[in-house]
């Protein structure tokens, strides 16, 4: 499988998921047994719950050269049916005793105790490895095809940036159906040769007890770690803390640094590109910034006029990227990724780039670039300002259509004992006045997906608008 497993550690505790441990030898044997059963299939789906069987099933299908379709275990009936139908998966792998609801194609239980020693030739770099379904702004989710070569290139770029070695013990409790938890969090340590300790769920106490050197989390995880100071202080022995999948609020960055002594690494990527930008293990880290392009990656900013946006740290533009870890295309759709005429992938994300090359992600062009009174305002900047207020626990900002201003800056805030006017004035004092929220809605919580990203469409629906 293009050496994605060439670093598989020959250790008794190579992989641990929710307390169940498997050696490198046992994993390879069990995965080979799965490969025997799925060989020749056009694609296989995996019920991607946090379990050893998920790891065995994914690795087994990759060994057999069969594209893997991770299916979220909490997917609704319609979402699951669409993924299975659109991908053409011929089997659905699952843990014994936990067959998903009535499913087509046939369900195949993964027996982690079985072993096989069948040898297979390596696949070619352009052979499809994963088909990962991601929601766009319109229509049903699309299957992003990530080839074996792109998976290897993406992991290797992070090995360089994060000084990732076989001595590292990676700890995380992230879902196994996204790039963060599956590609970085499972295939990463298997390729590098380090150990994986998946905590089942990302509880602070589980992170503290895991004894890792490298920890992955989304901002929600790190916020909860900071709320458990004893667990946070246990992470002082780690080498790196990495945050991704959503913007890490600056107050959480600062709190982590105070409790653990670590400045967390932040990075940027998406399903279609894997990780393309990151701060480095041997370099600086800046709150609110995702760092520099990885080795082999180029980036550029494009303004609304189609020309280059200034790299001055303040001018915003759409981020476009190119590099060896980009996906091949969308499953079942002709051609590759939609690229610009000169060969760049338009991410749909709005960013700034400083004179020194440091990137800051403002947000999605569709939801996080607010055009109000002739100004272009990044939602993330306003959110950071709100989060700096001691009474604010969470904040999300959107633009709501307005007949006078075009859009008005509108905030949804989880906070206690603070008035709307106080927060508006607080932001106006920290940022330009035109960036202040005109309206603030106090809510008990923000709607988030499995990776901790705020679902801003849900917030827009509450205002009677659409994003």
């Amino acid at each position: 499988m293009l050496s994605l497993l060439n670093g598989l550690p020959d250790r008794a505790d190579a992989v641990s998921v929710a307390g169940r441990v498997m050696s490198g030898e046992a994993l390879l044997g069990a995965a080979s047994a799965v490969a025997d059963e799925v060989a020749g299939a056009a694609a296989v789906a995996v019920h991607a719950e946090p379990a050893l069987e998920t790891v065995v099933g994914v690795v087994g299908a990759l060994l057999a050269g069969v594209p893997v379709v991770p299916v979220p275990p909490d997917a609704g009936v319609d979402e699951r049916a669409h993924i299975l139908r659109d991908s053409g998966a011929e089997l659905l792998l699952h843990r014994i005793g936990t067959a998903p609801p009535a499913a087509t194609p046939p369900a195949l239980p993964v027996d982690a105790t079985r072993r096989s020693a069948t040898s297979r030739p390596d696949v070619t770099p352009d052979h499809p490895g994963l088909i990962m379904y991601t929601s766009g702004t319109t229509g049903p989710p699309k299957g992003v095809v990530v080839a074996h070569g792109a998976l290897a290139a993406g992991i290797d770029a992070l090995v360089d940036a994060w000084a990732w070695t076989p001595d590292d013990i990676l700890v995380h409790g992230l879902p196994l159906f996204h790039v963060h938890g599956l590609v970085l969090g499972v295939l990463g340590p298997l390729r590098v040769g380090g150990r994986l300790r998946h905590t089942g769920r990302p509880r602070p106490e589980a992170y503290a007890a895991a004894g890792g050197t490298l920890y992955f989390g989304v901002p929600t995880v790190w916020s909860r770690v900071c709320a458990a100071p004893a667990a946070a202080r246990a992470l002082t022995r780690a080498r790196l803390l990495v945050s991704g999948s959503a913007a890490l609020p600056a107050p959480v960055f600062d709190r982590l640094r105070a409790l653990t002594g670590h400045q967390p690494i932040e990075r940027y990527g998406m399903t279609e590109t894997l990780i393309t930008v990151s701060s480095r293990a041997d370099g600086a880290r800046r709150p609110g910034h995702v760092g520099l392009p990885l080795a082999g990656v180029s980036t550029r900013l494009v303004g609304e006029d189609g020309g280059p946006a200034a790299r001055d740290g303040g001018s915003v533009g759409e981020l476009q990227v190119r590099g060896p870890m980009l996906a091949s295309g969308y499953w079942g759709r002709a051609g590759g990724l939609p690229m610009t005429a000169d060969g760049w992938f338009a991410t749909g994300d709005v960013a700034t780039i400083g004179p020194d090359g440091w990137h800051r992600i403002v947000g999605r062009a569709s939801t996080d670039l607010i055009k109000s009174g002739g100004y272009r305002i990044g939602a993330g900047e306003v959110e950071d300002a709100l989060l700096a207020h001691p009474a604010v626990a969470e904040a999300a900002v959107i633009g709501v259509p307005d007949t006078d201003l075009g859009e008005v800056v509108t905030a949804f805030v989880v906070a206690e004992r603070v008035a709307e006017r106080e927060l508006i004035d607080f932001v106006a004092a920290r940022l330009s006045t035109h960036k202040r929220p005109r309206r603030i809605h106090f809510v008990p919580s923000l709607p988030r997906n499995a990776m901790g990203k705020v679902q801003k469409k849900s917030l827009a629906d509450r205002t009677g608008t659409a994003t």
Side-chain angles (χ1 to χ4, degrees):
M1 52 181 292
L2 194 68
S3 302
L4 278 176
L5 282 180
N6 67 349
L8 184 63
D10 185 18
R11 296 188 178 100
D13 60 346
V15 176
S16 169
V17 182
R20 296 171 61 206
V21 181
M22 181 172 268
S23 70
E25 181 182 10
L27 172 58
L28 187 56
S32 293
V34 170
D36 290 344
E37 294 189 277
V38 305
V44 297
V46 176
H47 185 65
E49 61 179 327
L52 272 177
E53 286 80 4
T54 297
V55 177
V56 171
V58 169
V59 172
L62 291 173
L63 278 174
V66 176
V68 178
V69 184
V71 179
D74 61 348
V77 174
D78 291 345
E79 180 184 3
R80 181 184 297 107
H82 168 73
I83 292 173
L84 295 174
R85 181 177 61 251
D86 187 76
S87 67
E90 296 179 12
L91 293 167
L92 175 58
L93 306 182
H94 64 91
R95 181 163 57 98
I96 294 173
T98 60
T104 302
L108 176 67
V110 173
D111 184 349
T113 67
R114 292 185 60 198
R115 302 289 183 267
S116 170
T118 304
S119 61
R120 294 174 178 81
D122 284 348
V123 299
T124 59
D126 60 351
H127 191 79
L130 298 177
I131 305 171
M132 308 187 79
Y133 277 77
T134 183
S135 298
T137 54
T138 59
K142 295 182 291 186
V144 178
V145 181
V146 188
H148 282 248
L151 292 168
I155 294 168
D156 291 348
L158 295 175
V159 168
D160 170 67
W162 299 345
W164 199 346
T165 78
D167 293 328
D168 275 312
I169 300 172
L170 171 62
V171 176
H172 72 90
L174 302 175
L176 300 184
F177 49 88
H178 284 294
V179 167
H180 198 168
L182 180 57
V183 178
L184 279 61
V186 173
L187 300 183
L190 295 184
R191 179 167 174 80
V192 172
R195 285 171 281 179
L196 166 62
R197 294 178 181 168
H198 191 287
T199 58
R201 297 187 65 182
R203 296 187 177 94
E205 60 272 20
Y207 273 38
T213 63
L214 178 61
Y215 285 79
F216 290 172
V218 299
T220 302
V221 171
W222 295 124
S223 178
R224 291 172 180 173
V225 167
C226 289
R233 293 188 183 99
L235 304 186
T236 58
R237 297 184 295 272
R239 186 176 66 82
L240 286 178
L241 309 183
V242 180
S243 183
S245 299
L248 183 69
V252 178
F253 182 105
D254 292 337
R255 183 69 172 153
L256 267 179
R257 176 170 49 189
L259 288 169
T260 70
H262 292 289
Q263 299 181 73
I265 276 185
E266 296 182 65
R267 85 297 183 283
Y268 165 79
M270 54 194 306
T271 307
E272 286 90 343
T273 67
L274 302 186
I275 306 305
T276 52
V277 181
S278 178
S279 49
R280 296 181 58 88
D282 59 356
R285 294 96 191 251
R286 303 177 188 172
H289 292 74
V290 293
L292 302 163
L294 297 176
V297 174
S298 300
T299 64
R300 71 180 185 184
L301 284 184
V302 177
E304 283 188 307
D305 60 359
R311 292 186 170 223
D312 56 11
S315 299
V316 298
E318 182 187 39
L319 183 65
Q320 298 184 354
V321 303
R322 58 186 180 188
M325 62 285 291
L326 265 63
S328 307
Y330 296 108
W331 187 255
R333 292 162 175 80
L337 293 182
M339 307 291 282
T340 65
D342 55 349
W344 295 76
F345 176 71
T347 66
D349 285 324
V350 179
T352 67
I353 302 178
D356 56 1
W358 272 72
H359 290 52
R360 175 185 174 91
I361 305 301
V362 174
R364 294 296 292 171
S366 58
T367 57
D368 293 310
L369 182 61
I370 302 167
K371 300 175 182 178
S372 181
Y375 294 102
R376 302 174 77 210
I377 302 165
E381 186 179 20
V382 183
E383 289 163 358
D384 283 347
L386 286 164
L387 287 166
H389 192 286
V392 176
E394 297 182 83
V397 170
I398 62 173
V400 173
D402 181 78
T403 55
D404 179 36
L405 295 172
E407 290 181 304
V408 292
V409 179
T410 303
F412 290 79
V413 172
V414 178
E416 294 183 358
R417 296 184 297 277
V418 64
E420 179 182 36
R421 174 48 56 187
E422 180 181 343
L423 288 182
I424 292 172
D425 292 343
F426 182 79
V427 174
R430 296 176 68 88
L431 305 177
S432 300
T433 302
H434 66 265
K435 296 179 180 179
R436 72 192 186 282
R438 302 296 183 110
R439 302 168 190 160
I440 292 180
H441 301 276
F442 292 96
V443 294
S445 64
L446 298 178
R448 297 180 183 272
N449 66 12
M451 296 304 291
K453 292 183 180 179
V454 176
Q455 302 299 281
K456 291 195 173 182
K457 184 181 184 305
S458 176
L459 296 177
D461 290 344
R462 299 184 192 183
T463 69
T465 66
T467 59

